[in-house]
Amino acid sequence: MAQTETATESAPESATKPMFKRLSLIGIGLIGSSISHAVRRAGIAGDIVGCAVAPETRRRAEELGLVRKAYADPPEAVKGADLVILCTPVGAYKKIAEAIGPHLEQGAIVSDVGSVKAAPVQDIAPHMPEGVHFIAGHPIAGTEQSGPDAGFAELFDGRWCILTPGADADPAAVAKLEDFWRKLGSNVEIMSPEHHDMVLAITSHVPHLIAYNIVNTAEHLERVTDSEVIKFSAGGFRDFTRIAASDPVMWRDVFLNNKDAVLEMLGRFSEDLITLQRAIRFGDGATLERLFTEARAIRRGIIQAGQDTAQPDFGRSPARAKDGSK
Amino acid sequence: MAQTETATESAPESATKPMFKRLSLIGIGLIGSSISHAVRRAGIAGDIVGCAVAPETRRRAEELGLVRKAYADPPEAVKGADLVILCTPVGAYKKIAEAIGPHLEQGAIVSDVGSVKAAPVQDIAPHMPEGVHFIAGHPIAGTEQSGPDAGFAELFDGRWCILTPGADADPAAVAKLEDFWRKLGSNVEIMSPEHHDMVLAITSHVPHLIAYNIVNTAEHLERVTDSEVIKFSAGGFRDFTRIAASDPVMWRDVFLNNKDAVLEMLGRFSEDLITLQRAIRFGDGATLERLFTEARAIRRGIIQAGQDTAQPDFGRSPARAKDGSK
């Protein structure tokens, strides 16, 4: 009985007062548009506006209902917003932060979705006025596609979002942003920007770099044609081309902004590759078999943690239908 | 009317005389079991027998109906077979070829499915008696799973099978084996063993090697835990772990048997990676963006050629359902 009363009392408030009165998305590509879908699914913003450089992106974002209004000018887009999320390549942060700083509303939360944290935090933080809560973030989710049409509400479901608040961040604002990401379907973890950049260097940045690299190597062979590479890509190569189809500008900015951690991880990768190369050269089958066997365990961990499908070949082959019907 | 008569006349023959009277699968793992499924789907073998070292594999292969009888001994398994396909790791070929040679039926076709061709051909060919047609083959298809339970009939649909017949191969036998693979759903291409090994080094062997390698690098970091690697693997890393979950013994044998081509391609890969590494170190964004942009084109080629799905994230994410319903 008491529970029913409480529910009745709080219902009007939750129905009329969403978590944020206005969300402003600075950049409306894959991640910006997915946030819009997920926010509308959760019903946690009263209004969504956005900002994009390209007129075509603005037109499309309004047409798809991703934003009520898409502005060309960042300061216009942040007016009256109590949550502002930068969803552009990280190389654009400094200029945007300078531009929007004076126009941010008191008490607003400013965040981002960039794949690098330490350097970009330095680009944004100095331009944030007193009374505005800047808390950097990074949802570990995406596809190889780009642009406002690429987004979908389920992108963040079951994935992790990392927040890297500064030491002086307001705990209530951090808790609110955590809650926001959970309502979008994510798990949330807090860490320092520096640790984030080290973790992502190995789980995302170096994998993308070596995927881009092997595709380039394959394209520049004299004795194997591009047509052969394409035809026989199902032997493993095609998996790398998916990642290598990701947005080049976004990834350029990632590598320019996470230089030290990427170079460290790349050094490790090359050392380890030389060990394998030597084992091949000298016919050391025992070393090859041992290292290949060790690599299997982490795949099991990823599937158990719900971070990838257990279906063979990512469920991509026709056997998917058979397995799916079980 | 004439057509109807022809169909009636030929029906009894095609119903009673399949393409091969007895298929013998030496090795009943992912590929061997998939051949059995696809052969039964096509109805092109009167009888299927097999051979496996492990008693559990033999029991399971019979239980699943993959073979009428699974033998422990290769010579027993090839008796009366007019098509024998080696489906073991390539390191086992020499011993098997020696053992089965004297027991092969006159006119039989002997083939294989190994991922390397030049060296394994040398292991098999000397043991093939006069009147037996040895034609090496390699279906470019697979998943990360192993064993008799992993197979399915659709594995070869739309994929390419490469045959590498010797200069003195009987054209009729080559044509028959081509027809066999087409009936299993494959496209077929003929090339030399040496060219095959060069093409596969870049489209399959080096991709697997660098996938194994980055997983090993990630596992041996001091400052990033395995648990973090697993949690945040959706940033790209998880794609590599799928390939790195492939059978270690099969892959050990691939690298031991395709040393020269793999070392050449690995040298190219490392040269190219150093170019990217330098661009990162010196903040050369223009080079990074150019190389990343070039890598996108080959993905489009692969999708247009039907060698991978156009769905984002391999159709792995929940958006798949949305796209699939279109």
Side-chain angles (χ1 to χ4, degrees), chain A residues 197-241:
Chain A
D197 290 355
M198 189 66 78
V199 171
L200 270 289
I202 190 69
T203 58
S204 179
H205 306 170
V206 169
H208 275 79
L209 196 74
I210 63 180
Y212 279 123
N213 191 61
I214 195 161
V215 174
N216 281 324
T217 301
E219 277 183 323
H220 297 122
L221 298 172
E222 303 82 22
R223 291 161 68 193
V224 179
T225 67
D226 283 6
S227 150
E228 287 177 319
V229 168
I230 287 168
K231 266 164 130 173
F232 307 120
S233 62
F237 183 78
R238 63 177 178 168
D239 285 23
F240 293 74
T241 64

Side-chain angles (χ1 to χ4, degrees), chain A residues 22-47:
Chain A
R22 180 175 296 164
L23 163 63
S24 176
L25 298 166
I26 309 299
I28 319 170
L30 167 67
I31 303 296
S33 63
S34 293
I35 291 176
S36 169
H37 285 292
V39 162
R40 286 176 291 140
R41 183 183 66 173
I44 51 176
D47 185 23

Side-chain angles (χ1 to χ4, degrees), chain B residues 18-55:
Chain B
M19 193 173 185
F20 291 99
K21 69 178 198 299
R22 179 174 295 163
L23 163 64
S24 176
L25 298 166
I26 310 298
I28 318 170
L30 167 67
I31 302 296
S33 61
S34 293
I35 291 177
S36 169
H37 284 293
V39 162
R40 285 176 292 139
R41 184 183 68 175
I44 51 175
D47 185 24
I48 309 178
V49 297
C51 173
V53 175

Side-chain angles (χ1 to χ4, degrees), chain A residues 140 143-146 151-152 154 159-160 162 189 191 195 198-199 202-204 206-210 212-224 228-249 251-252 255-256 259 262-266 268-269 272-273 276-277 280-281 283 285 289 291-296 298-299 301-302 305 307-314 316-320 322, chain B residues 140 143-146 151-152 154 159-160 162 189 191 195 198-199 202-204 206-210 212-224 228-249 251-252 255-256 259 262-266 268-269 272-273 276-277 280-281 283 285 288-289 291-296 298-299 301-302 305 307-314 316-320 322:
Chain A
I140 315 298
T143 76
E144 69 277 25
Q145 302 198 341
S146 317
F152 52 96
E154 302 84 359
R159 299 283 87 84
W160 287 85
I162 297 175
E189 181 132 325
M191 61 177 75
H195 189 64
M198 189 66 78
V199 171
I202 190 69
T203 58
S204 179
V206 169
H208 275 79
L209 196 74
I210 63 180
Y212 279 123
N213 191 61
I214 195 161
V215 174
N216 281 324
T217 301
E219 277 183 323
H220 297 122
L221 298 172
E222 303 82 22
R223 291 161 68 193
V224 179
E228 287 177 319
V229 168
I230 287 168
K231 266 164 130 173
F232 307 120
S233 62
F237 183 78
R238 63 177 178 168
D239 285 23
F240 293 74
T241 64
R242 186 190 77 80
I243 284 188
S246 302
D247 184 40
V249 172
W251 282 98
R252 175 201 68 191
F255 294 109
L256 295 177
K259 185 159 88 170
V262 167
L263 290 176
E264 178 178 335
M265 293 302 171
L266 211 44
R268 300 270 191 142
F269 173 84
D272 292 341
L273 191 59
L276 283 174
Q277 189 170 329
I280 292 171
R281 191 179 298 282
E289 189 181 341
L291 291 170
F292 296 169
T293 303
E294 281 178 21
R296 281 188 137 174
I298 215 150
R299 175 79 188 163
I302 287 171
Q307 294 303 308
D308 206 345
T309 174
Q311 289 192 16
D313 212 18
F314 302 122
R316 185 168 46 176
S317 64
R320 173 176 60 190
K322 185 185 70 180
Chain B
I140 316 297
T143 76
E144 69 276 25
Q145 302 198 341
S146 317
F152 52 96
E154 302 83 1
R159 299 285 85 83
W160 287 85
I162 298 175
E189 182 133 326
M191 61 178 74
H195 190 64
M198 190 65 77
V199 171
I202 189 69
T203 58
S204 179
V206 169
H208 274 79
L209 196 74
I210 64 181
Y212 279 122
N213 191 60
I214 196 161
V215 174
N216 281 324
T217 301
E219 277 183 322
H220 297 122
L221 297 171
E222 304 82 23
R223 290 160 69 192
V224 179
E228 287 176 320
V229 168
I230 287 168
K231 266 164 129 171
F232 307 120
S233 62
F237 183 78
R238 63 178 177 168
D239 285 22
F240 293 74
T241 64
R242 186 190 76 79
I243 284 188
S246 301
D247 183 40
V249 171
W251 282 98
R252 175 200 68 191
F255 293 110
L256 295 178
K259 186 159 88 169
V262 167
L263 290 177
E264 178 179 335
M265 293 302 171
L266 210 44
R268 300 271 191 140
F269 173 84
D272 292 341
L273 190 58
L276 283 175
Q277 188 169 330
I280 293 171
R281 191 178 299 282
L288 294 175
E289 189 181 340
L291 291 170
F292 296 169
T293 303
E294 282 178 19
R296 278 187 139 175
I298 214 151
R299 175 79 187 161
I302 287 171
Q307 295 303 309
D308 206 346
T309 173
Q311 290 192 15
D313 211 18
F314 303 123
R316 185 167 49 176
S317 64
R320 175 175 57 188
K322 185 185 70 179

